[in-house]
């Protein structure tokens, strides 16, 4: 364990001389200035607690440095005495996750900060004998951080993430020299200078200004400018040294260190001469509040549940003003058995549309209406399975409505899964194999595979689902795997498929039952997600249509025993761990499928102090930007990939192998903790 003697001094860190700044290694930092309601001020000073103004401190079993809060205030991100990055639940100091990459031996980390929607975080890192750099990463095993600061002979430190994907940080030459405030914008090829005489910056909650530290010749003061470095405004002017600025969630107030204490002043400079002392010590951080949401998508039956899922996200094709995503296809599955449908979720994501259902012999009326709503004439409807699964009569009905049909079928469910896989990518990077004798493992795999295929995902990888006959490979699947590229990676999702694919060096994603396998799939293929979905583990239709939506939203599909009043432990673990990034929990199916008591449990685990709302069948799921693992441009759009290192922040096949190996140990730790 690393001694606290190696940590930064908690007194003033940015030491200024007139006309120049002497860099002090291990300087404290400003913290994430994220928007929200509330103005709860907290501080951390290396003790085993986070101090909270007006309330009891949050006690932890380890030291806390530089605590910063997630966008909804549900989790604090901090660094402990071992230089681990960890997150802790806002109301439970023992509820800690340590899933950021472990610091290499001799490496010092400081100044962690969430950014944007909480999917990613930034921090400063200094290897033994090396320079400080700013890292960008995600809370999840297996993700490799990337460096967003320039690779030159300067130190880069004190990052602060704002409401979008931009980050401000400090540039400091080795030895004495004047520091500069830098702005990293993922839509631009390199960071730019905002101010050439400032340190320890904090970006405002609306993303338009930056507060930082500058010497007035005698003392270090807090100054605010716009992001072009213009319109300087003094926030402090009293005879004291100040550091570590952080904005209140409404942007009206800035807190900062004044000596060893914490003070506040109006962001408009009106109280510059007389900051208010708060009684806190250490590094300040405001805890923002946002109300999270639990969404249930359900209908009277499997057909109308599928249409409710579709309507939650996909626009009306004839309405040019509809802000929802525009579908370019529909995937149609038979409704009476899962046999030909298990690859459908991944296909729907790849083809940019919802998954709907029908009886084999006639087109369901609610499905007909939804196809006409969501898909413009001439669009493609993919039919899963042969004429026994979806008859030619149904095909002809669809054609009569003005749509093109494409049937994806083989002699059995196994060869049909290969036809579906080929329609996604004939040379996939990732092949997720699951048994086709039962449905749970393949449904969890479908959401995971589809998340790579969604247009705009920017992962650079494609993924498909193929089926095994429990522990046996049927001829179509074997022939498919035999000609895979040596660079393709096979994952055995569940024990049967893992056993069946042994000849292809599969990666083990195997839990002791369907619920654990779904969790391991979530942990392997997702991290920092904004959405997580839950469906019953004892039936398949709701999970099939729901999995297609989860793939588009870049979130996992989890399973729960829907006929009980208790949310499955496996789903609880995901909502707990990623509560800092998850703002929406989705439930697929009515209360007969997933007991209504589980709504509140999901909400409790994902939400912070502002709590959560419950909504049934909204039509705005995913209109706001989804995870920054996919959102690569500064405005949150997915249309134009960034030229910056943000585009590299995706799990590689090697990272996926690492993550899969880590999940069982991770689960064992969590079971012990609970």
């Amino acid at each position: 364990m690393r001694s606290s003697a190696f940590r930064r001094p908690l007194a003033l860190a940015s030491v200024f001389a007139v006309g120049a700044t002497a860099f002090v290694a291990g300087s404290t930092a400003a913290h994430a200035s994220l928007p929200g309601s509330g103005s709860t001020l907290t501080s951390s000073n290396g003790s085993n607690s986070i101090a909270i103004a007006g309330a009891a401190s949050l006690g932890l079993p380890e030291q806390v440095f530089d605590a910063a809060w997630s966008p909804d205030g549900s989790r604090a991100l901090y660094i402990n005495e071992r230089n681990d990055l960890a997150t802790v639940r806002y109301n439970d100091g023992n509820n800690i996750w340590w899933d950021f990459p472990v610091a290499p031996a001799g490496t010092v980390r400081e100044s962690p900060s969430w950014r944007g929607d909480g999917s990613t975080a930034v921090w400063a890192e200094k290897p033994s004998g090396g320079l400080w750099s700013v890292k960008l990463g995600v809370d999840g095993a297996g993700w490799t951080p990337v460096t967003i600061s320039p690779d030159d002979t300067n130190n880069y430190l004190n990052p602060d993430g704002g409401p979008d994907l931009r980050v401000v940080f400090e540039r400091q030459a080795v030895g004495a020299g004047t520091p500069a405030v830098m702005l990293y914008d993922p839509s631009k090829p390199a960071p730019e200078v905002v101010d050439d005489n400032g340190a320890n910056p904090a970006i405002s909650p609306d993303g338009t200004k930056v507060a930082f530290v500058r010497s007035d010749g005698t003392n270090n003061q807090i100054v605010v400018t716009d992001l072009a470095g213009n319109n300087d405004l003094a926030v402090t002017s009293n005879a004291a040294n100040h550091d570590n600025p952080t904005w209140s969630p409404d942007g009206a107030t800035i807190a900062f260190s004044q000596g060893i204490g914490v003070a506040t002043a109006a962001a408009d400079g009106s109280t510059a001469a007389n900051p208010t002392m708060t009684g806190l010590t250490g590094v300040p951080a405001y805890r923002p509040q946002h109300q999270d949401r639990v969404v249930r998508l359900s209908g009277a039956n499997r057909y109308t549940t599928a249409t409710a899922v579709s309507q939650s996200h996909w626009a009306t094709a004839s309405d040019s003003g509809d802000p929802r995503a525009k579908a370019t296809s529909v995937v149609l599955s038979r409704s009476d058995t899962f046999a030909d449908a298990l690859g459908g979720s991944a296909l729907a994501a790849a083809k940019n549309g919802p998954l709907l259902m029908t009886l084999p012999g006639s087109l369901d009326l609610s499905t007909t209406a939804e196809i006409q709503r969501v898909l413009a004439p001439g669009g493609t409807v993919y039919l899963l399975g042969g004429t026994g699964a979806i008859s030619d009569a149904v095909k002809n009905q669809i054609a009569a409505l003005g749509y093109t049909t494409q049937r994806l079928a083989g002699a059995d469910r196994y060869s049909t899964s290969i036809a579906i896989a080929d329609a996604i990518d004939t040379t996939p990077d990732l092949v997720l194999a699951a048994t086709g004798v039962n449905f749970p493992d393949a449904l969890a795999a479908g959401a995971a595979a589809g998340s790579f295929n969604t247009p705009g995902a920017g992962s650079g990888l494609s993924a498909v689902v193929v089926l095994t006959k429990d522990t046996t490979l049927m001829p179509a699947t074997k022939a498919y795997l035999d000609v895979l590229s040596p660079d393709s990676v096979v994952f055995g999702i569940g024990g049967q498929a893992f056993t069946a694919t042994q000849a292809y060096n599969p990666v083990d994603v195997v839990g002791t039952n369907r619920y654990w396998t779904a969790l391991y799939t979530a942990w392997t293929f997702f991290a920092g997600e904004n959405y997580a979905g839950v469906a019953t583990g004892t039936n398949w239709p709701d999970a099939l249509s729901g999995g297609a939506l989860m793939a588009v939203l870049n979130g996992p599909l989890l399973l729960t025993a829907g006929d009980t009043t208790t949310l499955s432990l496996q789903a609880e673990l995901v909502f707990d761990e990623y509560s800092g990034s998850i703002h929406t929990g989705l439930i697929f199916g009515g209360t007969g499928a997933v007991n209504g008591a589980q709504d509140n449990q999901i909400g409790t685990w994902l939400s912070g102090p502002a709590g959560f709302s419950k909504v049934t069948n909204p039509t705005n799921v995913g209109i706001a930007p989804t995870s920054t693992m996919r959102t690569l441009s500064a405005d949150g759009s997915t249309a134009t990939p960034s030229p910056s290192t943000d585009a590299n922040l995706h799990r590689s096949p090697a990272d996926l192998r690492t993550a899969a190996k880590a999940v069982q140990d991770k689960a064992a730790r969590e079971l012990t903790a609970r």
Side-chain angles (χ1 to χ4, degrees):
M1 180 177 292
R2 186 178 175 85
S3 167
S4 61
F6 288 93
R7 302 301 304 186
R8 67 189 65 74
L10 291 169
L12 184 70
S14 302
V15 179
F16 288 81
V18 176
T21 301
F23 171 70
V24 177
S27 61
T28 53
H31 285 307
S33 305
L34 300 175
S37 61
S39 57
T40 300
L41 183 61
T42 73
S43 68
S44 53
N45 58 14
S47 68
N48 287 47
S49 67
I50 298 174
I52 303 173
S57 296
L58 180 66
L60 282 80
E62 59 186 13
Q63 290 178 276
V64 181
F65 298 90
D66 296 353
W69 292 94
S70 64
D72 65 353
S74 64
R75 283 196 165 267
L77 171 66
Y78 66 94
I79 293 175
N80 64 17
E81 64 269 28
R82 300 181 300 277
N83 282 298
D84 294 330
L85 285 156
T87 70
V88 62
R89 185 83 176 150
Y90 80 101
N91 57 358
D92 183 356
N94 290 308
N95 189 328
I96 301 173
W97 290 83
W98 298 272
D99 280 337
F100 284 93
V102 173
T107 295
V108 178
R109 286 172 168 168
E110 299 186 344
S111 317
S113 172
W114 307 81
R115 69 170 193 159
D117 55 19
S119 296
T120 51
V122 290
W123 64 90
E125 187 166 300
K126 181 183 183 299
S128 178
L131 297 171
W132 286 94
S133 62
V134 176
K135 300 291 185 180
L136 170 64
V138 66
D139 182 10
W143 291 87
T144 301
V146 298
T147 302
I148 62 172
S149 54
D151 182 15
D152 56 27
T153 58
N154 293 299
N155 286 289
Y156 293 93
L157 64 161
N158 296 338
D160 181 62
D164 49 25
L165 303 185
R166 292 177 294 180
V167 180
V168 290
F169 52 81
E170 177 184 336
R171 182 187 69 196
Q172 174 67 62
V174 175
T178 302
V181 174
M182 307 288 292
L183 174 67
Y184 164 80
D185 184 333
S187 68
K188 298 180 179 180
E192 300 173 345
V193 175
V194 174
D195 189 277
D196 59 7
N197 185 18
N200 213 344
I203 195 167
S204 64
D206 65 1
T208 65
K209 301 179 182 68
V210 60
F212 56 88
V213 182
R214 178 191 289 164
S215 174
D216 65 5
T218 303
N219 295 294
N220 296 337
Q221 304 292 357
I222 307 298
V223 177
V224 169
T225 72
D226 59 31
L227 293 185
N230 300 320
N231 303 307
D232 287 11
L233 174 70
V235 173
T236 65
S237 59
N238 58 317
N241 278 317
H242 309 89
D243 203 357
N244 309 314
T246 185
W247 296 74
S248 64
D250 62 5
T253 305
I254 296 176
F256 43 85
S257 301
Q258 183 167 297
I260 63 171
V262 172
T264 63
D268 64 6
S270 59
T271 61
N274 296 292
T276 301
M277 299 303 295
T278 65
L280 300 176
T281 61
V283 179
Y286 279 99
R287 187 179 67 195
Q289 293 185 175
H290 277 287
Q291 190 174 73
D292 295 312
R293 189 163 71 150
V294 176
V295 169
R296 185 180 285 270
L297 299 174
S298 66
N301 52 47
R302 60 192 61 189
Y303 309 105
T304 52
T305 291
T307 60
V309 173
S310 175
Q311 291 166 12
S312 76
H313 180 76
W314 297 103
T316 298
S318 60
D319 183 357
S320 60
D322 193 329
R324 291 172 290 180
K326 305 294 184 184
T328 55
S329 73
V330 167
V331 172
L332 191 62
S333 165
R334 69 189 296 177
S335 61
D336 58 337
T337 183
F338 59 83
D340 295 315
L342 293 178
S345 296
L347 177 69
K351 300 304 181 182
N352 199 46
L355 186 148
L356 302 174
M357 296 183 188
T358 188
L359 283 167
S362 61
L363 189 61
D364 178 76
L365 291 177
S366 60
T367 299
T368 301
E370 183 58 13
I371 293 174
Q372 291 179 296
R373 184 196 72 83
V374 79
L375 192 61
T380 300
V381 178
Y382 292 89
L383 311 179
L384 303 184
T387 56
I390 297 178
S391 67
D392 278 339
V394 171
K395 175 182 176 181
N396 293 336
Q397 284 179 274
I398 295 170
L401 295 174
Y403 300 106
T404 299
T405 62
Q406 183 173 339
R407 188 181 292 278
L408 302 175
D412 53 28
R413 68 188 66 185
Y414 308 100
S415 54
T416 294
S417 75
I418 302 304
I420 293 170
D422 283 341
I424 295 171
D425 189 346
T426 56
T427 57
D429 301 287
L430 312 174
V431 176
L432 281 62
T435 180
V437 176
N438 209 344
F439 57 84
D441 298 345
L443 293 177
S451 71
F452 292 92
N453 302 326
T454 299
S459 69
L461 301 174
S462 62
V464 300
V465 176
V466 301
L467 301 181
T468 70
K469 189 175 182 180
D470 278 346
T471 59
T472 301
L473 282 183
M474 297 298 284
T477 307
K478 183 179 186 303
Y480 178 85
L481 295 175
D482 282 344
V483 297
L484 272 181
S485 164
D487 295 328
S488 298
V489 181
V490 176
F491 295 82
I493 310 297
Q496 295 95 335
F498 178 65
T499 299
T501 56
Q502 281 300 298
Y504 307 96
N505 189 29
V507 178
D508 175 354
V509 186
V510 179
T512 54
N513 57 38
R514 63 189 64 189
Y515 304 99
W516 282 108
T517 295
L519 173 64
Y520 291 175
T521 303
W523 275 345
T524 298
F525 294 98
F526 297 96
E529 58 263 28
N530 295 147
Y531 300 85
V534 175
T536 178
T538 58
N539 209 346
W540 60 272
D542 300 339
L544 182 66
S545 57
L549 177 61
M550 293 315 305
V552 172
L553 297 176
N554 199 21
L557 178 70
L558 306 162
L559 301 179
T560 186
D563 58 352
T564 74
T565 58
T566 303
L567 180 69
S568 71
L569 170 63
Q570 297 81 10
E572 173 194 307
L573 291 175
V574 170
F575 285 113
D576 174 13
E577 175 182 12
Y578 298 119
S579 66
S581 61
I582 296 174
H583 57 62
T584 303
L586 296 115
I587 303 169
F588 299 108
T591 55
V594 178
N595 190 287
Q598 297 192 27
D599 298 38
N600 289 337
Q601 294 168 49
I602 291 171
T604 297
W605 282 110
L606 70 86
S607 63
F612 62 96
S613 63
K614 293 192 290 185
V615 186
T616 300
N617 293 341
T619 57
N620 61 354
V621 173
I623 291 178
T626 57
S627 167
T628 51
M629 300 313 299
R630 178 171 300 158
T631 304
L632 302 180
S633 60
D635 64 0
S637 70
T638 59
T640 305
S642 163
S644 76
T645 50
D646 249 12
N648 299 321
L649 194 62
H650 295 277
R651 193 167 283 179
S652 67
D655 289 338
L656 290 167
R657 287 183 182 274
T658 300
K661 290 178 181 178
V663 295
Q664 294 191 13
D665 288 342
K666 181 175 178 177
R669 290 196 305 271
E670 287 308 305
L671 288 173
T672 300
R674 281 168 164 73

